[in-house]
Short mmCIF file of all heavy atoms in Angstrom, two decimals:
data_model
loop_
_atom_site.label_atom_id
_atom_site.label_comp_id
_atom_site.label_asym_id
_atom_site.label_seq_id
_atom_site.Cartn_x
_atom_site.Cartn_y
_atom_site.Cartn_z
N VAL A 86 52.26 -103.04 94.97
CA VAL A 86 53.00 -103.11 93.68
C VAL A 86 53.03 -101.67 93.11
O VAL A 86 52.02 -100.89 93.07
CB VAL A 86 52.17 -103.92 92.68
CG1 VAL A 86 52.88 -103.85 91.21
CG2 VAL A 86 51.93 -105.38 93.09
N LEU A 87 54.23 -101.27 92.70
CA LEU A 87 54.46 -100.01 92.07
C LEU A 87 54.99 -100.29 90.69
O LEU A 87 56.02 -100.97 90.49
CB LEU A 87 55.41 -99.10 92.74
CG LEU A 87 56.04 -97.88 92.06
CD1 LEU A 87 54.94 -96.84 91.78
CD2 LEU A 87 57.07 -97.15 92.94
N VAL A 88 54.39 -99.70 89.64
CA VAL A 88 54.79 -99.79 88.33
C VAL A 88 55.15 -98.33 87.78
O VAL A 88 54.29 -97.57 87.58
CB VAL A 88 53.76 -100.44 87.31
CG1 VAL A 88 54.37 -100.56 86.02
CG2 VAL A 88 53.23 -101.71 87.85
N ASN A 89 56.43 -98.17 87.73
CA ASN A 89 56.95 -96.87 87.19
C ASN A 89 57.00 -96.90 85.72
O ASN A 89 57.88 -97.39 85.11
CB ASN A 89 58.35 -96.64 87.66
CG ASN A 89 58.36 -96.05 89.16
OD1 ASN A 89 57.68 -95.15 89.55
ND2 ASN A 89 59.19 -96.67 90.01
N ASN A 90 55.94 -96.55 85.13
CA ASN A 90 55.83 -96.64 83.60
C ASN A 90 55.81 -95.37 82.83
O ASN A 90 56.22 -95.38 81.61
CB ASN A 90 54.42 -97.36 83.27
CG ASN A 90 53.99 -97.18 81.90
OD1 ASN A 90 54.56 -97.91 81.11
ND2 ASN A 90 53.07 -96.35 81.62
N ALA A 91 55.47 -94.16 83.44
CA ALA A 91 55.42 -92.86 82.64
C ALA A 91 56.70 -92.67 81.84
O ALA A 91 57.69 -92.87 82.45
CB ALA A 91 55.06 -91.81 83.60
N GLY A 92 56.51 -92.27 80.65
CA GLY A 92 57.83 -91.95 80.03
C GLY A 92 57.54 -91.15 78.62
O GLY A 92 56.44 -91.05 78.15
N VAL A 93 58.51 -90.45 78.15
CA VAL A 93 58.44 -89.69 76.92
C VAL A 93 59.70 -89.84 76.09
O VAL A 93 60.79 -90.13 76.55
CB VAL A 93 58.09 -88.23 77.18
CG1 VAL A 93 56.82 -87.86 77.71
CG2 VAL A 93 59.35 -87.55 78.00
N THR A 94 59.44 -89.61 74.70
CA THR A 94 60.61 -89.64 73.76
C THR A 94 60.71 -88.18 73.16
O THR A 94 59.55 -87.55 73.10
CB THR A 94 60.61 -90.62 72.77
OG1 THR A 94 59.27 -90.57 72.15
CG2 THR A 94 60.79 -91.98 73.26
N ARG A 95 61.83 -87.65 72.89
CA ARG A 95 61.99 -86.41 72.16
C ARG A 95 63.14 -86.65 71.23
O ARG A 95 64.28 -86.10 71.43
CB ARG A 95 62.32 -85.23 73.14
CG ARG A 95 61.28 -84.90 74.16
CD ARG A 95 60.10 -84.08 73.53
NE ARG A 95 59.26 -83.70 74.55
CZ ARG A 95 57.98 -84.42 74.87
NH1 ARG A 95 57.82 -85.58 74.17
NH2 ARG A 95 57.33 -83.88 75.89
N ASP A 96 62.85 -87.55 70.17
CA ASP A 96 63.96 -88.03 69.20
C ASP A 96 64.60 -86.83 68.42
O ASP A 96 63.95 -86.17 67.78
CB ASP A 96 63.45 -89.04 68.43
CG ASP A 96 62.92 -90.28 69.35
OD1 ASP A 96 63.10 -90.38 70.47
OD2 ASP A 96 62.40 -91.33 68.56
N THR A 97 65.94 -86.92 68.47
CA THR A 97 66.64 -85.97 67.61
C THR A 97 68.20 -86.44 67.76
O THR A 97 68.54 -87.05 68.77
CB THR A 97 66.48 -84.53 68.00
OG1 THR A 97 67.13 -83.73 66.99
CG2 THR A 97 67.04 -84.25 69.44
N LEU A 98 68.99 -86.05 66.80
CA LEU A 98 70.38 -86.46 66.84
C LEU A 98 70.97 -85.58 67.98
O LEU A 98 70.58 -84.44 68.18
CB LEU A 98 71.09 -86.11 65.60
CG LEU A 98 70.71 -87.09 64.39
CD1 LEU A 98 71.34 -86.61 63.18
CD2 LEU A 98 71.07 -88.52 64.68
#
Side-chain angles (χ1 to χ4, degrees):
V86 178
L87 169 61
V88 183
N89 278 313
N90 165 77
V93 291
T94 50
R95 298 283 184 265
D96 296 357
T97 187
L98 292 174

